[in-house]
Amino acid sequence: MSRLDVLDWRRRTAALYAAVRAAPDPATGHGLWRAGRDELFATHPASPLAPERRAAFTGLPVAPYDPALRAEVAVEDAPPQRHDVATGTDGTVHLERVGRVRLPDVGTLDVWWLDQYGGGLFLPLRDPGPGYGGGRYLLDTVKGADLGGRDGRLVVDLNFAYAPSCAHDPAWACPLPPPGNVVDVPVVAGELAAP
């Protein structure tokens, strides 16, 4: 895998999320997301699945779409906080808290800005449910994983929670959710476990 492969992966991910945002309804967008992610995992050179695992790959385990798990939420003020995450291969990832969102029936999650070249919003989640134990991502705009929003609000849809690449291959480095992104409520939505 080359760096140009990773670039192409990011471009395709951004295009996939653009198609999701343009879908006529969230459930249709979710179907596009599932099919697009499965295709990338099965066929792309930058897939976090090792080539020998791709041959037997039949799709990521994803819960059925539940419209009750989608919300457009305000980004509320929160005291500034810096969180530096040592990732090994990627060095230290610097996060700056820009606010919080409140998700119905889940709780409050910190919204972070990746304080590095290019920046981007980052909204991870760790819960005791059947997802990847290290946590999942809801938004990661550096990689194009963005469901939209406007006027200080973000679309946060738990149906789109996904495990980072490091859940599938330890060669990848991923920042895991800081304490303000850990909840006690199981979230049975999105990608449920690494295959």
Side-chain angles (χ1 to χ4, degrees):
M1 167 184 54
S2 74
R3 290 186 172 142
L4 291 177
D5 292 332
V6 174
L7 171 64
D8 186 65
W9 174 279
R10 288 187 179 176
R11 284 177 175 160
R12 290 183 188 210
T13 298
L16 177 59
Y17 276 85
V20 167
R21 289 189 302 273
D25 60 78
T28 300
H30 188 256
L32 292 171
W33 178 76
R34 287 186 69 173
R37 280 182 51 82
D38 283 348
E39 179 188 352
L40 283 167
F41 270 73
T43 65
H44 199 278
S47 171
L49 294 181
E52 62 274 9
R53 290 184 61 204
R54 291 180 207 163
F57 179 72
T58 59
L60 295 163
V62 176
Y65 189 80
D66 180 351
L69 299 176
R70 179 184 179 90
E72 188 169 335
V73 293
V75 178
E76 302 173 2
D77 289 336
Q81 180 180 342
R82 184 173 177 92
H83 187 69
D84 294 327
V85 182
T87 61
T89 58
D90 284 349
T92 301
V93 175
H94 306 287
L95 303 172
E96 296 286 340
R97 184 168 57 194
V98 297
R100 290 187 177 124
V101 293
R102 295 181 192 280
L103 302 180
D105 301 322
V106 173
T108 302
L109 297 174
D110 289 337
V111 178
W112 299 91
W113 182 257
L114 290 163
D115 189 26
Q116 294 176 215
Y117 178 80
L121 283 182
F122 179 54
L123 182 58
L125 164 74
R126 181 149 89 207
D127 68 289
Y132 168 59
R136 294 177 285 171
Y137 295 174
L138 299 172
L139 300 174
D140 186 357
T141 65
V142 167
K143 297 179 184 126
D146 176 19
L147 296 172
R150 60 182 178 269
D151 301 326
R153 301 175 73 78
L154 297 172
V155 173
V156 180
D157 191 331
L158 296 168
N159 294 289
F160 289 84
Y162 67 94
S165 296
C166 60
H168 305 281
D169 182 348
W172 291 87
C174 307
L176 299 178
N181 294 82
V182 178
V183 297
D184 295 330
V185 176
V187 175
V188 183
E191 188 179 320
L192 298 179

